[in-house]
Every structure is written in structure tokens, then in C-alpha cells.
Amino acid sequence: MLQAFAQYNLSSPAVWVDQRAISYQELFNEVNKVALELTKQGILPGHRVAFIANIQIHSIVLFLALLEIQATPCLLSPRLPLEQIPEYLQKAQASFYTDPHSLISQKRETISLQNSGEILLFTSGSSGTPKLAVLKPQHFLENAAGSVEQLGLLKKPGCWLLSVPLFHVSGLSILFRCLQTASAIALPSDFSRENITHLSWVPTQLFRQLDAKTLFPNLRCALIGGAPIGASLLQKAQEANLPLFLTYGMTEMASQITMTSNEDTLLPLHLGKALPGREIRFSQEGEILVRGACLFTGYDTEQGIYKPLIEGSWFPTGDLGCVDLNGNLHHKGRKDHLFISGGENIYPEAIERALGTLPNVLHAIVVPREDVEFGQRPVAFVHIQGDMPSKEEFHEKLSSLLPRFSLPVQFLPLPQEEITKSLKWTRSSLMQKLQKIRRS
């Protein structure tokens, strides 16, 4: 695989570690050395090798080395509890479990050869239990090819801060964009802000950086995705003169599907146009359907590879949306978040967007609460700067934005532990929190 990038100036920086630049030549030499060590341990093309993918140079090298010998890396989250790791290894049918630091590989009971040169990623689980997505390096390269020009990396390579998890599609796609354009990656442990030209944030990280007044003097792109951004937070970012690019993507498409450009007006909120190499259309119910050369191989299941397509080649995303007259995508929410209240359809994301337009509301998550009369009613967890308004004050501000049946019956502060620890809030954890509050 590394031969594809042999045309680079190999002395240019590949990874910044502890404020020291590792060149592409040094990186490739280390990858080849690790690849040789892995083959000595009996890892062959087609073997599935799982490892904890921390944001560290050891994980990057191990990942590239596995691809170099056509083994299949399976990237696991560092947040996985130890007792859950065997379950994930079993689901991935991993033949080896390797430590990126020591390179000690533990053989598993069942050692089987699968298709070579694949990449296994567990999805974020936004629709429930995480699925095991099967991709190839070519899917990531196709995805990068459609975005690097708009990101400004073709004309001028940059330095991308690896500020999102490597085991997630957003982090892994950064690696492939940098490989494709001879750009550098900066690890978040210790870096110089002056070096950073690009970074990826979910809205939570954007809020934290704005709150800390963190400056990146040479920043050319702050790519925001992974969760909806509120209009209030977006406005604060624009006031700080951040070069924002909003994006919509998913694991199954090897990351980005649409993206705004630096010439776009971002309000009213939208997620830009389909990038080159991707197509978007909508089902009769308004579900976003996608296809393109970066579409994954399928989900790995006990019955084999499963690729749910409709009408021959379109992948149903589970998201609802539409495009405006300018061709920009508007994300309305997920199909499986919808709930019924007194016979009316409630779309949590529509309420969240309305809340996000209110002054000082930085983020909101709406979940259903069981109700004897209506079946379910919406409750809003709100992250707000300053004092929490009363329910009546919220209703007064929202009454011109939402139908009466969509007004939340309760407004609660977003738990502080969610704000400080999480990058993406999950509805399931907040529903559990709501149940505890009702029981207490």
C-alpha cells in the first residue's frame, strides 16, 4: 500500500509527535519494520487483527503495517471496558489481539483467514447496537479524493490535528486525507498551535474551544460534524472568525457525504452539497439515500456480509432530510428517533434545532417521556450559558417556532458529566437519567 505514496517528498513531515516532526520516510521505515515483525508472529493476509486504537503514533504505525501485509485491522475504542473486549473480539472473529506498544500479539482460539486488505470499524451505534462495518482502503481514498480539493489540501498540504478518535471513521479519514495529499497529522498530546491548519470537531469540542478561547493562528478549516450544531453555537463560532466547514457523513460511506464550502452562508443551517463521487436522493418518506465509490462492502454478520440496498444501488441512511433550492442538504433527524404524542409525530431534532436558535443555548437533546394521557411527551435536556429559564419562558420563546404539541413538557440542564466527559451525547443515557429523576 505504501508504494502508492512513493512519489512524495519523503522528507516532508508525516506526523508531529511531542513537537517533533516524523518524516514520511521515517514513518514508512517504521511501518515496514513493524510489518516484518507481525509476519514473524504468524499474521498472514486475511487474518483479522484487533487492537485498541488510541490516538498515538503506535496505533497509526500498527494500522498501516497491517494494511501493508494485507491483514485486516479491527480498531477498538480505548473506552471499552475490559470485560467487554472479548465480546467485541468474538463479533469481529479476530484471529489476533495485538498491543500497539509492545507488538505482542495474542492468538485467539479460532484462527481463520478472511478476505485480505479490509478494515473493520464498529459503527457509532446511533440506531442502537453498534454494527461491524467492512471497508477497504480504497473506500477511504475515494472519499478523500472527493473532499481534499474543497478542503484546500491539494494546492497546499497542511497539518491536521487528530482531535477525534482514531477508531471512529472521522479519525481514520483524517489519516487517509493526509496520506493522499502529503499533509501531516498532529497528535493532540503535545502540539504547536501554529502548525495546525485543519482540524475536526464535533459541536461539543467546538463549544469547549470557544469557551477556552483557544487560538489557532494558521487555521484554514474547522470541520464540524458528527452531531447537529445549534444556530447559537454556530453564530458564536462565526463571531470568533473560525473557518467553519459543516459536514454530513457516516461510517458506511467512509466518512464525508456532503460539505459546505468557505463561500457558503451557513444560516439558515445546512450541510452543504454532495461531494464529488457521491450521490444523494430521497425516498418517498424523506429518508436520505446515498451511493458512490466510497460506499462500504457491507456489515459483517454471522450469516456473512450483509449490504442493505434498495432499488439496486442506494443505501438507506436512516436519516430524514431534504435539499433546498441551492442543492444544500438539510438534516431533519433520524427515522428511529421519531415518537408519537397524542397521535402527532414528534421529531426530536426539530425541537432541538428550535432550541438551538435561542440566545445562549449551546446544545439540546430531546427525549420522550412516558405519559398516561398522550403516550409520550417530549423532555428537553439543555446546555445553556447563564441561568436556566423557566418552562413558561421557554414556551414563550418557542411558541412561534414549534407547534404546541411539540413544546417540551419539561426542561432539564444537561448533566455536567455529559458536558465535561462526552464528545457526543447519547439519547439512551439521557433517557436513563430521566427515569432516575422521575423515580427520585
Side-chain angles (χ1 to χ4, degrees):
M1 176 182 163
L2 297 182
Q3 292 178 351
F5 309 106
Q7 75 276 14
Y8 290 170
N9 176 1
L10 295 178
S11 63
S12 59
V15 184
W16 284 88
V17 182
D18 298 328
Q19 298 194 25
R20 182 183 81 82
I22 296 175
S23 70
Y24 269 97
Q25 184 66 70
E26 290 175 296
L27 175 64
F28 291 171
N29 288 345
E30 186 63 23
V31 168
N32 286 324
K33 185 170 78 173
V34 171
L36 182 60
E37 175 59 29
L38 294 175
T39 57
K40 287 181 180 178
Q41 295 184 32
I43 297 176
L44 302 173
H47 274 151
R48 292 183 170 188
V49 182
F51 64 96
I52 300 296
N54 289 292
I55 306 179
Q56 296 175 348
I57 184 65
H58 307 284
S59 295
I60 294 173
V61 170
L62 176 58
F63 173 77
L64 293 174
L66 288 168
L67 292 184
E68 185 68 6
I69 62 174
Q70 294 189 32
T72 295
C74 176
L75 291 78
L76 302 179
S77 167
R79 293 186 175 184
L80 267 182
L82 284 175
E83 58 271 18
Q84 285 189 15
I85 290 177
E87 176 188 342
Y88 276 72
L89 296 178
Q90 182 64 32
K91 187 167 185 176
Q93 300 179 60
S95 299
F96 293 85
Y97 178 53
T98 300
D99 184 323
H101 291 268
S102 66
L103 294 181
I104 296 175
S105 299
Q106 300 174 18
K107 286 186 179 180
R108 307 255 302 142
E109 289 183 8
T110 302
I111 300 181
S112 59
L113 292 176
Q114 309 281 343
N115 294 330
S116 62
E118 294 179 331
I119 298 168
L120 302 181
L121 288 180
F122 284 95
T123 65
S124 60
S126 57
S127 59
T129 305
K131 300 179 182 128
L132 185 60
V134 181
L135 299 106
K136 292 181 178 292
Q138 191 60 32
H139 292 136
F140 284 93
L141 293 171
E142 291 282 359
N143 191 288
S147 65
V148 289
E149 182 174 4
Q150 197 160 310
L151 290 166
L153 290 173
L154 273 186
K155 291 182 179 179
K156 186 179 180 182
C159 179
W160 204 303
L161 177 62
L162 190 56
S163 48
V164 286
L166 190 62
F167 65 88
H168 191 272
V169 68
S170 57
L172 205 53
S173 62
I174 291 173
L175 175 58
F176 280 94
R177 286 187 210 116
C178 290
L179 280 171
Q180 197 162 63
T181 59
S183 294
I185 286 177
L187 301 183
S189 54
D190 185 20
F191 61 91
S192 170
R193 299 190 189 282
E194 287 73 21
N195 289 337
I196 305 302
T197 61
H198 292 69
L199 50 78
S200 297
W201 284 332
V202 297
T204 309
Q205 292 170 298
L206 173 61
F207 161 73
R208 292 173 185 169
Q209 299 300 326
L210 289 173
D211 195 46
K213 295 181 172 56
T214 307
L215 297 177
F216 295 87
N218 297 310
L219 192 65
R220 288 151 44 192
C221 164
L223 187 64
I224 310 297
I229 181 173
S232 177
L233 180 57
L234 176 63
Q235 191 168 4
K236 290 180 184 294
Q238 289 179 319
E239 290 170 357
N241 293 317
L242 280 175
L244 295 181
F245 290 70
L246 306 186
T247 189
Y248 167 69
M250 60 195 315
T251 303
E252 292 85 348
M253 286 288 281
S255 192
Q256 293 182 274
I257 301 170
T258 71
M259 182 171 62
T260 60
S261 72
N262 53 10
E263 299 173 355
D264 282 339
T265 301
L266 300 181
L267 289 171
L269 272 171
H270 64 84
L271 297 170
K273 300 176 178 64
L275 289 162
R278 293 84 153 157
E279 295 179 75
I280 289 179
R281 54 168 290 205
F282 303 91
S283 71
Q284 290 184 345
E285 296 78 24
E287 182 176 5
I288 302 172
L289 310 177
V290 296
R291 68 181 180 186
C294 56
L295 183 61
F296 74 148
T297 303
Y299 298 117
D300 190 82
T301 71
E302 292 181 358
Q303 292 74 37
I305 299 297
Y306 171 61
K307 190 174 187 177
L309 298 178
I310 62 174
E311 299 179 25
S313 59
W314 293 93
F315 178 76
T317 63
D319 293 318
L320 299 170
C322 63
V323 292
D324 59 27
L325 294 176
N326 295 316
N328 293 312
L329 177 68
H330 293 255
H331 184 264
K332 293 183 176 181
R334 286 199 59 82
K335 285 174 61 179
D336 49 12
H337 289 168
L338 178 149
F339 61 92
I340 309 296
S341 179
E344 301 284 357
N345 289 345
I346 302 291
Y347 294 92
E349 288 89 349
I351 304 173
E352 291 159 10
R353 282 193 296 274
L355 282 164
T357 66
L358 304 183
N360 298 323
V361 173
L362 300 170
H363 200 76
I365 295 286
V366 173
V367 297
R369 187 186 82 183
E370 296 300 322
D371 186 270
V372 175
E373 181 180 0
F374 293 96
Q376 291 180 314
R377 298 294 286 140
V379 172
F381 285 88
V382 184
H383 182 198
I384 190 167
Q385 283 186 318
D387 295 332
M388 187 82 161
S390 67
K391 182 175 81 169
E392 291 71 25
E393 289 171 323
F394 268 123
H395 281 189
E396 183 180 352
K397 294 173 182 177
L398 292 171
S399 59
S400 62
L401 303 173
L402 294 169
R404 186 171 180 80
F405 61 78
S406 288
L407 294 176
V409 296
Q410 189 176 9
F411 296 86
L412 298 168
L414 195 65
Q416 188 62 36
E417 63 268 21
E418 295 280 349
I419 296 171
T420 55
K421 293 180 182 178
S422 302
L423 294 184
K424 293 173 69 174
W425 297 296
T426 61
R427 293 176 198 276
S428 59
S429 66
L430 292 176
M431 288 173 70
Q432 292 171 8
K433 180 79 173 178
L434 181 60
Q435 289 174 357
K436 290 180 181 178
I437 292 173
R438 296 195 73 189
R439 286 196 297 264
S440 62

